Amino acid sequence: MAGFFSRLREGLNKTRDNIVAGIDSVFNGASEIDDDFYEELEEILIMGDIGVNATNDIIERMKDEVKKRHLKQPSECKELLVESIKEQMRVEETAYDFEKKQSVIFIIGVNGVGKTTSVGKLAGILKEQGRRVLIAAADTFRAAAGEQLAEWAHRAGVDMIGGKEGADPASVIFDAVNAAKARNIDVLICDTAGRLHNKKNLMEELKKMNRIIDREFPDAHRENLIVLDGTTGQNALAQAREFGEAAKLTGVILTKMDGTAKGGIAVAIQSELNVPVKYIGVGETIEDLQKFNADEFVNALFDIESEKEIPEEAAAAETVAEETAKAEEEQKTDTNVTNTEKQKKWLFW
């Protein structure tokens, strides 16, 4: 099975074609590092959904480093651009405290971004780590939402607290929180109904559910993770800003990155919102939802081989070589022991 870096690199093909091909043409076509060179790079980055503010910061950092390093040729700047993008994506808080503390994870976002699927995958990941997980099915509006989540709970091997279709989602949260406390659950993951980020009454409902968690489970570590569809580009950034007003965001789950030309949005999110992308999805299986690593993401975007990624053939060859060397060493040891025993017998006789 291919490693996650390989799947990520493959999933970013469209984004790579959209951004990196244009960047390469600038580096290869420009004769000098001048204003035109920087303007062309800036246009490509903005068109690649990296965002105006993030792009400006990346270009300014590049200019400073070009002066410090006394670079003269455009071709010398590509590595510097990669470094600048990685630096732009780093945020101060990228901890996964919910892996070790009793926690409530609140999953929010608009319809169709993959919230329910992300809840199921995250439950499976945490269960594999030995955590006791409970799911709250607070999406009581969408038809068959409860059945879909129940199937994911079954796959992950975790329990679920739900309510009837049309029930008050806040009451489901109340029941789930108290069940989590009574059962000494490690992580409660709350699925919520998809809602448009510009509908005030629905956003107020999110605030109500958050207040219930604060009141009923004050000692729990809190995570508010927004699920964003990578294919929506800058619209995802607007959604994150609006939802951030209703619930303080602690992280992002970025889905559908395997089929988008707008993968640059990951740069804009971390840079402009200072909210870490904590998970990235590049497929349908649980293994395709992984912790986000900014360096690996940029390496995959620019098709730079990850040091962590060892081809299966090389890994297999290395294993065979190690086993062969070990067998030869053992044979050598056995021969030495046999010879020693023979010498002892000759001396005895």
Side-chain angles (χ1 to χ4, degrees), residues 13 42 95 143 147 154 183 199 246 276 299 320 334 348:
N13 278 340
E42 184 176 336
E147 289 84 352
H154 176 71
R183 303 179 192 180
K199 295 295 184 181
N299 286 345
V320 171
D334 291 342
F348 176 79

Side-chain angles (χ1 to χ4, degrees), residues 65-202:
E65 289 299 318
V66 165
K67 290 179 181 178
K68 289 179 183 178
R69 304 184 191 188
H70 305 290
L71 302 180
K72 301 297 182 184
Q73 299 299 320
S75 58
E76 298 175 311
C77 297
K78 184 173 180 178
E79 184 178 344
L80 185 56
L81 175 65
V82 173
E83 291 176 7
S84 297
I85 294 176
K86 287 180 179 179
E87 186 62 34
Q88 190 67 23
M89 295 183 73
R90 293 192 178 103
V91 291
E92 292 182 4
E93 182 56 58
T94 57
Y96 294 81
D97 286 343
F98 53 85
E99 291 183 341
K100 50 186 179 291
K101 295 181 179 179
Q102 190 172 36
S103 306
V104 177
I105 302 177
F106 205 53
I107 306 293
I108 57 180
V110 302
N111 279 316
V113 295
K115 288 190 310 302
T116 300
T117 301
S118 296
V119 169
K121 291 179 179 180
L122 186 56
I125 290 170
L126 293 171
K127 176 69 181 299
E128 283 293 315
Q129 295 174 359
R131 307 284 283 165
R132 294 187 300 277
V133 181
L134 178 66
I135 294 176
D139 181 356
T140 57
F141 296 131
R142 183 169 61 90
E147 289 84 352
Q148 182 185 0
L149 191 59
E151 174 59 29
W152 273 108
H154 176 71
R155 291 186 201 175
V158 303
D159 291 334
M160 185 186 88
I161 300 291
K164 294 181 180 180
E165 186 175 330
D168 180 6
S171 67
V172 175
I173 294 296
F174 178 85
D175 291 341
V177 165
N178 283 284
K181 290 191 296 184
R183 303 179 192 180
N184 197 27
I185 291 295
D186 294 319
V187 183
L188 170 64
I189 307 176
C190 304
D191 186 25
T192 64
R195 58 202 71 222
L196 296 175
H197 54 286
N198 55 1
K199 295 295 184 181
K200 186 176 180 181
N201 60 322
L202 294 176

Side-chain angles (χ1 to χ4, degrees), residues 19 23 38 41-63 80-91 234 237 241 263-275 297-298 301:
I19 300 176
I23 288 173
Y38 286 121
L41 277 181
E42 184 176 336
E43 181 179 352
I44 291 169
L45 294 176
I46 291 175
M47 293 299 291
D49 282 283
I50 287 178
V52 175
N53 294 334
T55 295
N56 288 338
D57 290 342
I58 289 168
I59 296 298
E60 288 303 314
R61 184 179 288 110
M62 273 191 68
K63 289 180 178 179
L80 185 56
L81 175 65
V82 173
E83 291 176 7
S84 297
I85 294 176
K86 287 180 179 179
E87 186 62 34
Q88 190 67 23
M89 295 183 73
R90 293 192 178 103
V91 291
Q234 289 296 308
L237 195 61
R241 287 197 178 101
I265 192 61
V267 183
I269 289 170
Q270 295 214 163
S271 173
E272 301 199 17
L273 300 181
N274 200 35
V275 175
F297 177 84
V298 178
L301 180 60

